[in-house]
Amino acid sequence: MTAELKNRRLSILKTHCAGLEINTEPAILESHGCDWTRFRKPDPAAVVFPRSIDEIANLVAVAFEHQVALVPSGGRTGLSGGAIADSAEVVVSFDRMRQIRDFNAVNRTLTVEPGVVTHSIQEYAAQQGLYYPVSFAAEGSSQIGGNIATNAGGIRVLRYGLTRDRVAGLKVIDGRGELLECNHGLVKNASGYDLRHLFIGSEGTLGFIVEATLWLVDPPPPSHVMLLAVSGLEAMMDVFRLFNDTLVLSAFECLSAAAMAYVRKGHGLPAPMDTESPFYVVLEFECAEPGVEDTALQCFEKCLEAGWVEDGVISQSEGQAADLWRYREGISEAITPYTPYKNDLSVRISDVPAYLADLDKLVNSHYPDFEVLWYGHVGDGNLHMNILKPENMPVEKFEDICGRVNPDVFSLTRSYNGSISAEHGIGLLKKPYLSYTRSKADIERMRGIKAVFDPLNIMNPGKLI
Ligand code: MLT
Ligand code: ZN
């Protein structure tokens, strides 16, 4: 049946999409049919590489007419299975759409194709004397279309906000094959529903982002990075409060002692300091004027006196800052070989210590034999819980065991009015749990919106809702 469906879809593409690059090599089907998650096997019919908006519009119109399921594929760094094609879908890769189309110095906007890599946007902005502030570990390979489709967050959210806050305009091909031009880069636009925001974070379920206009900001002043050994969860939030009230923080991240051990092992990093602690914080603060570094050191002294912090180091150069960031940014890559089961949770910032303490208790009672690592963006209330797969356990069994505890984890999250996905998206993996974070009425309205833009359910079917 699947082979028959795949052949049928392939022949539709070949007949109706003249000139479109179509690839069915097994290695490409495997690589482009999935993201960074390792819990589903990719099985697409083909991978196509459009080069223009017109090619995408024609492709979706053909898919609409013949009911062909389409899955968008960007840098494939997603962590919720949002870009997995495991049911004979046609994967639409944006690898051939990597042009930066326009820079407007007055508007401070950059207009880009969806396949432009996040890091290239940051570099291009810097060449213009400006700054694209969305930053995260996968920025070297993730693409802007995927960033927008998942409303990517990362390490600078507490200072600059999310990808959503950078999107000035969008061109989208919806599930009917029609081009929608949303907001045109306007700062003010009170002309009804802002469709742009529906597509941001929609995980490709309403349409494909085919062009984006992004707002850039002033380049940041010089900064320093501190890595602190903190004595516990409450203390971590006390440290946050003090530093956030006193300085301009551009990041406030945490990692547990176990995460520190894995990142050091994975990347061969030395111990950052002599003291070992249950948690570490990596914070960055801006130094717009002289004397800020002294103020930061006074904060550090206060933290030591209060017993919140046990030890710490501060960067004295850009190189040292980058070295300190590796302890936080290197974690995800370092633990990938252990097939981590990821939960990406968020609560209000002030609830972080109580929530994390409750969660830690819950997880330890359910997974006494598993290693559980914590890290995340404490400064915006986002915690990443990673359970590592024991070496000899089959992936299916591991996923099943982890899945059994999810209802408890998500019930607890619901009791804090938190979210079961802060920045990784719902995709395939978290879809069964959506009702823990969105009400019945919410989900019904979301289905209604989906039906408007994608009435035949051809856009990334089976994901999110
Ligand atoms: C991170 O914060 O490091 C990323 O969201 C990736 C991850 O959670 O592994
Ligand atoms: Zn993250």
Side-chain angles (χ1 to χ4, degrees):
M1 172 60 192
T2 315
E4 201 182 297
L5 185 61
K6 283 187 194 166
N7 286 336
R8 193 174 74 78
R9 288 181 167 172
L10 199 53
S11 108
I12 290 167
L13 292 178
K14 286 182 178 163
T15 311
H16 299 283
C17 299
L20 180 65
E21 183 180 335
I22 303 170
N23 195 314
T24 53
E25 286 166 36
I28 297 292
L29 295 179
E30 173 129 5
S31 63
H32 285 62
C34 75
D35 53 19
W36 270 1
T37 52
R38 291 291 170 265
F39 294 99
R40 299 285 184 282
K41 216 180 135 20
D43 192 21
V47 181
V48 298
F49 295 89
R51 289 171 188 273
S52 67
I53 295 179
D54 284 348
E55 270 197 335
I56 299 174
N58 179 55
L59 168 69
V60 179
V62 168
F64 184 78
E65 193 183 333
H66 298 274
Q67 297 224 22
V68 177
L70 303 173
V71 173
S73 168
R76 304 189 299 283
T77 56
L79 296 165
S80 295
I84 288 177
D86 63 356
S87 307
E89 302 96 331
V90 170
V91 173
V92 183
S93 165
F94 297 96
D95 286 359
R96 307 281 185 268
M97 294 181 74
R98 294 183 185 266
Q99 297 284 323
I100 294 188
R101 287 186 181 280
D102 183 48
F103 166 66
N104 187 309
V106 176
N107 299 331
R108 295 183 149 195
T109 54
L110 206 54
T111 298
V112 297
E113 291 189 328
V116 178
V117 168
T118 317
H119 186 58
S120 308
I121 293 175
Q122 295 163 344
E123 278 184 339
Y124 191 93
Q127 285 159 14
Q128 313 309 317
L130 291 169
Y131 185 55
Y132 183 70
V134 178
S135 176
F136 46 88
E139 66 195 21
S141 48
S142 77
Q143 296 178 2
I144 190 67
N147 292 181
I148 294 170
T150 55
N151 189 21
I155 58 173
R156 308 222 177 277
V157 171
L158 89 165
R159 177 77 176 93
Y160 294 101
L162 297 147
T163 297
R164 181 183 299 286
D165 302 300
R166 307 267 57 84
V167 177
L170 279 185
K171 286 188 187 171
V172 174
I173 302 288
D174 75 0
R176 299 167 185 258
E178 279 178 44
L179 175 67
L180 303 175
E181 299 190 36
C182 311
N183 198 54
H184 302 278
L186 297 172
V187 176
K188 286 185 159 183
N189 182 3
S191 59
Y193 308 136
D194 192 337
L195 303 184
R196 168 183 51 153
H197 287 294
L198 279 180
F199 287 97
I200 300 168
S202 66
E203 302 187 33
T205 60
L206 304 179
F208 293 155
I209 288 145
V210 295
E211 190 183 281
T213 298
L214 305 166
W215 275 304
L216 306 178
V217 294
D218 277 330
S223 61
H224 283 285
V225 175
M226 273 184 170
L227 197 155
L228 306 174
V230 294
S231 54
L233 292 170
E234 289 287 347
M236 188 158 70
M237 294 319 282
D238 291 329
V239 175
F240 174 65
R241 177 109 197 257
L242 178 65
F243 274 88
N244 199 34
D245 285 351
T246 318
L247 301 166
V248 178
L249 286 181
S250 48
F252 191 95
E253 300 279 310
C254 79
L255 59 152
S256 65
M260 174 61 92
Y262 272 92
V263 74
R264 284 188 52 206
K265 190 167 137 201
H267 296 286
L269 302 177
M273 58 192 94
D274 292 337
T275 315
E276 289 192 7
S277 259
F279 286 97
Y280 297 85
V281 158
V282 178
L283 65 86
E284 189 173 292
F285 58 92
E286 294 183 355
C287 295
E289 60 223 27
V292 177
E293 198 185 336
D294 290 342
T295 311
L297 290 173
Q298 284 158 15
C299 287
F300 174 66
E301 291 295 333
K302 267 194 205 164
C303 291
L304 280 178
E305 278 163 29
W308 302 333
V309 160
E310 291 159 348
D311 203 348
V313 281
I314 181 166
S315 67
Q316 293 302 335
S317 65
E318 277 185 29
Q320 281 178 10
D323 287 346
L324 292 181
W325 266 117
R326 292 195 74 197
Y327 291 97
R328 168 64 186 90
E329 292 279 75
I331 303 172
S332 200
E333 190 188 336
I335 63 174
T336 298
Y338 305 91
T339 323
Y341 186 91
K342 287 173 179 285
N343 272 323
D344 166 39
L345 308 156
S346 79
V347 289
R348 282 177 301 277
I349 303 164
S350 57
D351 285 334
V352 167
Y355 173 67
L356 194 48
D358 283 351
L359 206 51
D360 208 31
K361 229 181 285 157
L362 192 155
V363 165
N364 285 332
S365 69
H366 282 86
Y367 301 118
D369 304 328
F370 288 170
E371 260 190 294
V372 181
L373 269 54
W374 295 100
Y375 52 92
H377 318 282
V378 188
D380 60 39
N382 176 189
L383 297 164
H384 298 308
M385 176 179 105
N386 286 255
I387 306 157
L388 304 190
K389 186 178 84 57
E391 205 180 332
N392 297 320
M393 186 177 281
V395 171
E396 297 73 28
K397 185 172 174 197
F398 176 59
E399 191 190 4
D400 181 53
I401 298 175
C402 294
R404 274 187 250 155
V405 186
N406 278 345
D408 292 330
V409 170
F410 296 151
S411 295
L412 179 70
T413 308
R414 180 166 54 193
S415 75
Y416 280 86
N417 282 322
S419 174
I420 66 161
S421 175
E423 59 174 5
H424 293 172
I426 295 293
L428 263 187
L429 302 188
K430 297 294 180 279
K431 188 176 115 172
Y433 310 103
L434 187 60
S435 62
Y436 285 91
T437 206
R438 304 299 295 262
S439 70
K440 200 161 163 264
D442 268 15
I443 294 172
E444 265 170 30
R445 300 301 182 277
M446 281 163 70
R447 281 192 209 289
I449 290 167
K450 166 96 171 152
V452 169
F453 289 98
D454 179 27
L456 300 186
N457 191 27
I458 57 167
M459 305 307 276
N460 215 5
K463 314 290 165 37
L464 181 54
I465 43 172

